[in-house]
Amino acid sequence: MELERSRLTKDGSIFPVQISLNYVNFNGKEFCLEFARDLTTKRERDEAIQLSYHTMNSFDEIVYWLRTDGSFRYFNDAFCKKTGYSRQAIETMHVLDFYPGVTFETYQTNWEQIRKEGRMDGVYEVLKKDGTTFPVEGSYSMIEFAGEELILGLARDITNRKNKEKELQDQLAENEILRRQLEKENIILKEEIKLDHNFANIISISSNYKKVLLL
């Protein structure tokens, strides 16, 4: 039988212990043996892990850990929110279900590259449950946790940035069209002025008059 209890030290502080109780019959006498293991370090480690999970779940960026086979060891709440899938659904899915532009062969190549170089960055399209995609700027690195080799994926939704870049490109293209149109109209206007006014027959004291008409 195992229990978790608290014990008091000589200085009055309290620390957690795991107690194992065992029944022993020795020479016809019954004994209850108690073994206590200090859980202070384990509790601190568990609290640190819980704090890390809570911190990652508060991120707006997508965070996940991948196993070698492409299944998810961990993923944060933002992953569910951004893709529209429930936790139960993602736990049964493969990472390539979210990256339609990446083949399994490419995935294996990328894994080897990350293992060799330690990190890989890139921009990808992530598939949502409703069939639409959104762009992410991803950073992927190799980590080892509890003896297991994992890839840590950090992906930031850059939809707003891409939209702004497109708006800027559209504006620049529109400005270029307007510039060309103004150049064309200016050429036509100059040709019309030449037809309406024969500068060779214009008598003027000032040569600047001709320059004004040519503007």
Side-chain angles (χ1 to χ4, degrees), residues 5-212:
R5 293 290 187 266
S6 296
R7 289 293 182 263
L8 188 67
T9 64
K10 184 178 180 180
D11 62 8
S13 60
I14 298 175
F15 65 98
V17 296
Q18 182 181 56
I19 298 174
S20 297
L21 300 177
N22 295 280
Y23 169 79
V24 177
N25 189 316
F26 181 73
N27 291 334
K29 295 182 179 180
E30 295 181 342
F31 298 90
C32 181
L33 299 182
E34 175 181 310
F35 298 91
R37 182 164 65 95
D38 188 349
L39 295 179
T40 302
T41 302
K42 181 178 182 298
R43 286 280 180 88
E44 291 176 350
R45 185 176 64 248
D46 291 344
E47 290 176 0
I49 292 174
Q50 290 298 323
L51 180 61
S52 298
Y53 282 175
H54 177 75
T55 301
M56 288 187 288
N57 278 328
S58 68
F59 288 168
D60 188 50
E61 289 81 8
I62 292 173
V63 181
Y64 57 78
W65 296 351
L66 283 180
R67 299 185 180 93
T68 308
D69 62 0
S71 62
F72 293 94
R73 175 67 171 77
Y74 166 82
F75 51 89
N76 67 346
D77 291 342
F79 196 4
C80 301
K81 181 179 178 181
K82 297 284 186 182
T83 61
Y85 285 97
S86 66
R87 281 194 163 272
Q88 291 76 12
I90 296 177
E91 287 172 353
T92 65
M93 299 173 72
H94 191 278
V95 64
L96 296 186
D97 293 330
F98 299 93
Y99 292 87
V102 180
T103 64
F104 185 71
E105 290 74 18
T106 301
Y107 169 75
Q108 290 179 315
T109 300
N110 290 345
W111 187 285
E112 290 301 324
Q113 180 181 342
I114 296 171
R115 179 185 285 121
K116 180 180 179 180
E117 300 179 5
R119 176 172 173 165
M120 186 181 74
D121 301 318
V123 175
Y124 301 92
E125 289 290 328
V126 174
L127 184 65
K128 298 168 62 176
K129 185 178 180 180
D130 62 9
T132 61
T133 62
F134 64 95
V136 298
E137 188 175 60
S139 176
Y140 310 92
S141 56
M142 187 71 67
I143 62 173
E144 187 172 321
F145 180 76
E148 185 178 13
E149 192 176 57
L150 303 167
I151 283 183
L152 169 62
L154 304 174
R156 174 176 296 178
D157 185 349
I158 56 173
T159 300
N160 291 336
R161 193 179 81 187
K162 286 290 186 180
N163 289 339
K164 290 180 180 178
E165 289 176 354
K166 186 178 184 305
E167 290 176 3
L168 178 59
Q169 291 173 355
D170 291 344
Q171 186 61 52
L172 291 174
E174 185 177 341
N175 291 344
E176 179 62 19
I177 293 174
L178 181 60
R179 184 187 66 81
R180 292 180 180 180
Q181 183 178 350
L182 290 174
E183 286 183 351
K184 183 178 180 180
E185 292 177 353
N186 188 39
I187 292 173
I188 294 174
L189 179 60
K190 287 182 178 181
E191 291 297 327
E192 290 178 350
I193 292 175
K194 288 180 180 180
L195 292 175
D196 292 340
H197 302 278
N198 187 349
F199 293 109
N201 295 328
I202 293 177
I203 301 174
S204 175
I205 298 176
S206 175
S207 61
N208 291 331
Y209 180 68
K210 181 178 180 180
K211 293 180 180 179
V212 171

